[in-house]
């Protein structure tokens, strides 16, 4: 019985000459076509060449020499800008979520009602409109409704409880000694 070949054992590597020859780059051990954004799973010149010739040869064979290099660089820049657009949106949403957690923590620390989240949001939107009007929509995306603040406080409490449980070594009983802080005027 014949042994089945494994692609991993064939040591296939991406060759830089394919960049300009077929308008592809390496991405996650696969070839990514810059023209149509399709991935070519197997790093073999035959597969990459077949993809290029069957889908793009008519439109891109006219580019030669430095013109071909310029076209490759333009396609590569276009892909990078698309990727950075998604990354930026993702990091802005993560920042809005972190901000929501931080405000919920401050509300809980001070023992204020969870409904104060909406009032706080209105305040920092007003401040954003004055200081950085281009970022107002980012401030508006921070969720501080009563239910969200309650959920955030619950998540923080569960996280603290989990951390305490992990650090205590899962003992059945233990005691805590806490100092009393003077009341704040808030």
């Amino acid at each position: 019985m014949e042994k089945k070949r494994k692609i991993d054992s064939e040591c296939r590597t991406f060759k830089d000459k394919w960049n300009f020859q077929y308008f592809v780059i390496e991405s996650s051990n696969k070839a990514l076509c810059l023209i149509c954004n399709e991935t070519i799973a197997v790093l073999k010149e035959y597969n990459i060449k077949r993809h290029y010739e069957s889908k793009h040869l008519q439109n891109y064979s006219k580019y030669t020499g430095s013109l071909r290099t310029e076209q490759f660089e333009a396609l590569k820049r276009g892909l990078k800008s698309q990727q950075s657009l998604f990354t930026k949106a993702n990091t802005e949403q993560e920042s809005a979520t972190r901000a929501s957690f931080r405000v919920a923590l401050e509300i809980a620390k001070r023992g204020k009602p969870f409904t104060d989240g909406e009032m706080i949001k209105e305040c920092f939107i007003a401040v954003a409109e004055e200081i950085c009007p281009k970022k107002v929509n980012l401030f508006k995306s921070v969720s501080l409704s009563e239910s969200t603040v309650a959920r955030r406080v619950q998540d923080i409490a569960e996280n603290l409880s989990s951390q305490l449980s992990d650090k205590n070594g899962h003992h059945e009983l233990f005691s805590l000694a806490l100092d009393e802080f003077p009341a704040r005027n808030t």
Side-chain angles (χ1 to χ4, degrees), residues 69-102:
T69 306
E70 288 174 19
Q71 184 64 27
F72 170 78
E73 293 300 331
L75 288 167
K76 193 173 175 181
R77 278 192 305 275
L79 177 68
K80 295 262 189 236
S81 69
Q82 282 178 353
Q83 290 172 338
S84 69
L85 179 69
F86 289 118
T87 304
K88 182 180 177 187
N90 193 24
T91 56
E92 284 180 349
Q93 187 56 46
E94 287 172 4
S95 296
T97 302
R98 278 195 310 275
S100 177
F101 269 101
R102 290 183 68 178

Side-chain angles (χ1 to χ4, degrees), residues 135-152:
K135 295 286 186 178
V136 169
N137 286 334
L138 184 58
F139 284 91
K140 287 181 179 178
S141 71
V142 177
S143 181
L144 290 173
S145 68
E146 179 181 356
S147 60
T148 301
V149 172
R151 197 171 49 250
R152 301 269 192 253

